[in-house]
Amino acid sequence: MLTVETDPADVGLDAGRLARLDARLARWVDDGQLPGFLVTVARGGRLAHVGTHGHRDVEAGLPVTPDTIWRIFSMTKPVTSVAAMSLYEEGAFELTDPITRWLPEFADTRVYVAGSAAKPVTVPQIEPIRVWHLLTHTSGLTYGFHHAHPVDAAYRAAGHEWGTPPGADSAEVTRQWASMPLVFQPGSEWNYGVSTDVLGRLVEVIAGKPLDEVFAERVFGPLGMTETSFGLRPDDDPARLARLYAPGVVPLTAFEPAAKQKPAFLSGGGGLVSTAGDYLKFVEMLRAGGAAPDGGRVLGSRTVAHMVRNHIPGNADLETYGRPLFAETRCAASASGWASRWCWTRPATASSARSATTRGAGRRPRRSTSTRSRT
């Protein structure tokens, strides 16, 4: 349960201004734009504010409560990245390693240069996909729901838009992505896509166990995150799960079943459900430089400090280096963007960083506008 631990003033916060957060979000609820919300504010590891308003299930009249379970979608990405970096700290891989060492299906993945989704013109990879490309969304992989590029359309045609083909597990889903072209040469640009899902599969192969077991062992167990899982667990009360709504509080009934049980595909890019209290434990670990509540560590402090740096070659921003599709991309290369979305990382040493940059975007010319899609 979420319990306020300190007076806001004791951690340098103004209670009146914190109340404005609730008031502003409450207006969206009262205007019919949101079904409900739960907001927490902590500083220095001490919870100073909890606000709720509205419903987790409008039709059933169930209010948002501190123990509401939420689909956290892309907030799964940092968890996957942390699990991967814990393996990295043990020497399981180098950030410059080609992923074909564990996922050989990507050895023959081609790169789109022209044509349609049905008849793409492709060329071989110049630079193989490396682990750091997955961690930084510079792999050339994409999302079917972007509707911005012929390769996006190829993803949709194969059943990869807002989900994956029914019954396909992580190994099969990854093989399907590997069979489709990359949007660009690995390391040459940035594009929000299924990179972290492929990273999740990589973690499974390296660890030799399913992703949920890796999470339980390396993240959830050490942090006491007992309410976070891939879909509801058998003993969870389904009524605690917030319904999914489109803007205007329109129920998205087609997506309802997906989070109510453990799926076949354990999506490292967006498959977890969690509570605000549980996820607060995770972000507090990041704030504390990888420290766990029991005095142990999930990650080393130097690893966390490295992860939250901007690792785009030349410290470029996404407006010049990437393919910005959503407002969130403007902060994706910063610490705050990583903490709420994904992990930016690169090779750990200066020499390997220079090597990776040289092989990737550092020396490659910009692609012509005729082969770029931008929204």
Side-chain angles (χ1 to χ4, degrees), residues 38-40 69-83 137 143 192-193 196-197 211 215 219-220 223 225 228-230 267-286 328 336-343:
L38 190 160
V39 60
T40 65
I69 299 173
W70 310 86
R71 299 164 172 85
I72 65 171
F73 292 108
S74 283
M75 290 165 66
T76 303
K77 287 180 171 67
V79 179
T80 303
S81 297
V82 165
H137 285 276
Y143 271 128
Y192 191 45
T196 314
D197 287 294
L211 195 58
F215 283 178
V219 183
F220 300 157
L223 296 179
M225 294 174 64
T228 307
S229 57
F230 282 105
S267 169
L272 292 175
V273 298
S274 186
T275 61
D278 248 24
Y279 207 77
L280 185 62
K281 296 175 183 177
F282 179 73
V283 296
E284 171 59 21
M285 177 273 294
L286 297 176
E328 69 192 17
S336 60
W338 175 78
S340 65
R341 290 292 178 181
W342 52 80
C343 169

Side-chain angles (χ1 to χ4, degrees), residues 144-349:
F145 59 72
H146 282 338
H147 291 255
H149 192 279
V151 176
D152 304 343
Y155 274 49
R156 294 193 298 275
H160 299 267
E161 185 172 9
W162 297 108
T164 53
D169 62 10
S170 302
E172 175 57 27
V173 167
T174 301
R175 283 193 292 268
Q176 291 178 19
W177 286 328
S179 71
M180 292 180 274
L182 301 176
V183 176
F184 49 75
Q185 291 286 350
S188 67
E189 297 185 47
W190 181 96
N191 186 59
Y192 191 45
V194 298
S195 292
T196 314
D197 287 294
V198 175
L199 180 68
R201 176 57 185 160
L202 185 74
V203 165
E204 289 185 327
V205 175
I206 291 174
K209 59 187 68 175
L211 195 58
D212 57 343
E213 294 182 21
V214 178
F215 283 178
E217 176 185 301
R218 295 177 175 270
V219 183
F220 300 157
L223 296 179
M225 294 174 64
T226 60
E227 301 270 25
T228 307
S229 57
F230 282 105
L232 295 180
R233 298 160 299 183
D235 58 345
D236 286 330
D237 179 1
R240 290 176 55 199
L241 179 66
R243 290 198 71 182
L244 191 61
Y245 294 91
V249 194
V250 178
L252 294 172
T253 55
F255 295 93
E256 285 283 316
K260 293 187 175 180
Q261 59 187 0
K262 181 179 175 179
F265 170 50
L266 303 182
S267 169
L272 292 175
V273 298
S274 186
T275 61
D278 248 24
Y279 207 77
L280 185 62
K281 296 175 183 177
F282 179 73
V283 296
E284 171 59 21
M285 177 273 294
L286 297 176
R287 185 206 63 82
D294 63 1
R297 284 200 161 271
V298 174
L299 289 176
S301 59
R302 292 180 65 185
T303 299
V304 175
H306 187 70
M307 292 166 72
V308 299
R309 292 169 52 196
N310 181 354
H311 294 290
I312 296 176
N315 287 321
D317 60 37
L318 296 183
E319 290 293 331
T320 57
Y321 187 77
R323 296 172 177 238
L325 295 165
F326 304 105
E328 69 192 17
T329 64
R330 292 181 178 273
C331 66
S334 68
S336 60
W338 175 78
S340 65
R341 290 292 178 181
W342 52 80
C343 169
W344 288 95
T345 187
R346 66 177 176 184
T349 66

Side-chain angles (χ1 to χ4, degrees), residues 24-191:
R24 182 65 187 93
L25 292 171
R27 287 205 300 274
W28 282 336
V29 174
D30 296 341
D31 290 345
Q33 298 180 59
L34 290 177
F37 70 85
L38 190 160
V39 60
T40 65
V41 179
R43 173 172 280 180
R46 300 165 69 186
L47 185 60
H49 178 77
V50 177
T52 65
H53 188 66
H55 295 85
R56 65 179 187 268
D57 186 327
V58 174
E59 290 69 29
L62 298 175
V64 172
T65 54
D67 67 344
T68 294
I69 299 173
W70 310 86
R71 299 164 172 85
I72 65 171
F73 292 108
S74 283
M75 290 165 66
T76 303
K77 287 180 171 67
V79 179
T80 303
S81 297
V82 165
M85 294 306 290
S86 73
L87 287 165
Y88 165 77
E89 287 188 333
E90 295 174 4
F93 61 86
E94 294 292 336
L95 297 176
T96 51
D97 284 339
I99 67 171
T100 50
R101 178 177 172 184
W102 301 276
L103 303 176
E105 56 266 37
F106 282 97
D108 299 320
T109 302
R110 307 275 292 182
V111 179
Y112 173 93
V113 292
S116 66
K119 294 184 178 181
V121 178
T122 64
V123 297
Q125 295 177 45
I126 298 172
E127 164 81 350
I129 300 176
R130 301 180 186 275
V131 178
W132 78 278
H133 293 142
L134 297 179
L135 284 158
T136 59
H137 285 276
T138 56
S139 64
L141 295 161
T142 189
Y143 271 128
F145 59 72
H146 282 338
H147 291 255
H149 192 279
V151 176
D152 304 343
Y155 274 49
R156 294 193 298 275
H160 299 267
E161 185 172 9
W162 297 108
T164 53
D169 62 10
S170 302
E172 175 57 27
V173 167
T174 301
R175 283 193 292 268
Q176 291 178 19
W177 286 328
S179 71
M180 292 180 274
L182 301 176
V183 176
F184 49 75
Q185 291 286 350
S188 67
E189 297 185 47
W190 181 96
N191 186 59

